[in-house]
Amino acid sequence: MKLSKHITKITDFVNFFIDISVKEGFVAVDATCGNGNDTLRLLNRVGRKGKVYAFDIQKTAIENTIEKARESEFFSSLEIISDTHANLDLYVKENIDFAVFNLGYLPKGDHSIITESKSTIEALEKIIKRLNPDGKVVLAIYTGHDGGKEEYDELYSYFKSIDQSDFNVIMTEFVNGKNNPPKLAVIEKKHEV
Ligand SMILES: C[S@@+](CC[C@H](N)C(=O)[O-])C[C@H]1O[C@@H](n2cnc3c(N)ncnc32)[C@H](O)[C@@H]1O
């Protein structure tokens, strides 16, 4: 799948990280599968030998993701889970190489159903505990909707609490963007030495 020529949207940045990080055979998690765009990209990267676990709490999102994922020849590498990502440990038993969280509400869906810091942080804690060395978690964070700023503030405090000896945590933003531009966070597990 092609990358955009310029990084104009936060999803361009997410795609960039997926493309440089996710390799054949990886175990990847799409914690908020929504319309299935990230799931499809992950499937095409992990291939037949890999695995993508995709979570969402909305029936529409699960249906949209299944439809989108069928575009991949590696559809059989997908396990789709209709549950909160906070319960990830009930479904994902392996170590994880990559995870993506595209937070907020489902575009073209019900804007009152949003991700919330409590379950987002619960899922993150479970993921980073079993992230392989060099593994990454990428989060697209939106602050313009009701509840978005609160989620970001809580996440930011959580990011600052993550142990520096094991992880790098990087925040990126469109600093000159108007109207609450989204931010991108990357959590990276350091090499084993
Ligand atoms: C911005 S959309 C995701 C877009 C998606 N990644 C894509 O490529 O189309 C956010 C999604 O998070 C889902 N969501 C909200 N809370 C959740 C939770 N606790 N666990 C899993 N998904 C959740 C919403 O239902 C919504 O579909």
Side-chain angles (χ1 to χ4, degrees):
M1 290 170 96
K2 274 193 166 169
L3 279 173
S4 307
K5 195 169 170 201
H6 301 287
I7 293 177
T8 49
K9 299 194 301 277
I10 206 75
T11 45
D12 297 329
F13 223 167
V14 171
N15 289 343
F16 168 76
F17 273 103
I18 292 176
D19 287 4
I20 62 163
S21 314
V22 182
K23 307 271 187 287
E24 196 183 351
F26 268 24
V27 173
V29 173
D30 184 350
T32 56
C33 60
N35 290 321
N37 299 298
D38 298 323
T39 296
L40 175 62
R41 202 168 191 100
L42 290 170
L43 277 174
N44 286 338
R45 302 288 310 172
V46 304
R48 212 170 304 286
K49 294 183 193 148
K51 184 95 191 174
V52 176
Y53 293 93
F55 290 81
D56 210 290
I57 51 169
Q58 288 191 68
K59 189 167 174 274
T60 324
I62 296 291
E63 287 166 359
N64 292 354
T65 297
I66 291 173
E67 197 184 326
K68 181 59 100 178
R70 284 196 198 284
E71 290 173 26
S72 174
E73 58 179 308
F74 308 119
F75 180 74
S76 62
S77 299
L78 173 66
E79 187 166 331
I80 189 138
I81 299 141
S82 179
D83 196 357
T84 170
H85 43 227
N87 287 337
L88 174 128
D89 52 323
L90 301 180
Y91 308 93
V92 184
K93 302 295 179 191
E94 311 98 303
N95 280 353
I96 295 164
D97 297 295
F98 188 90
V100 58
F101 289 72
N102 193 334
L103 301 176
Y105 55 78
L106 180 65
K108 299 185 195 146
D110 183 343
H111 289 198
S112 70
I113 303 174
I114 55 169
T115 53
E116 290 175 15
S117 58
K118 188 173 178 294
S119 48
T120 305
I121 292 170
E122 222 174 304
L124 279 170
E125 280 173 338
K126 290 178 177 175
I127 290 172
I128 69 169
K129 254 190 209 148
R130 55 162 88 156
L131 202 56
N132 278 325
D134 294 327
K136 289 181 186 57
V137 185
V138 173
L139 299 101
I141 309 171
Y142 304 86
T143 57
H145 61 283
D146 277 351
K149 176 75 170 58
E150 289 74 10
E151 182 178 34
Y152 169 69
D153 288 343
E154 299 275 335
L155 278 172
Y156 194 76
S157 302
Y158 168 65
F159 293 153
K160 288 206 290 185
S161 76
I162 296 176
D163 188 353
Q164 189 193 1
S165 47
D166 290 329
F167 298 93
N168 296 314
V169 187
I170 303 146
M171 285 287 317
T172 311
E173 53 188 324
F174 293 96
V175 287
N176 64 341
K178 294 191 175 63
N179 303 324
N180 308 303
K183 301 169 198 294
L184 186 98
V186 181
I187 304 171
E188 181 184 47
K189 173 93 180 266
K190 294 184 177 181
H191 297 283
E192 264 165 8
V193 277

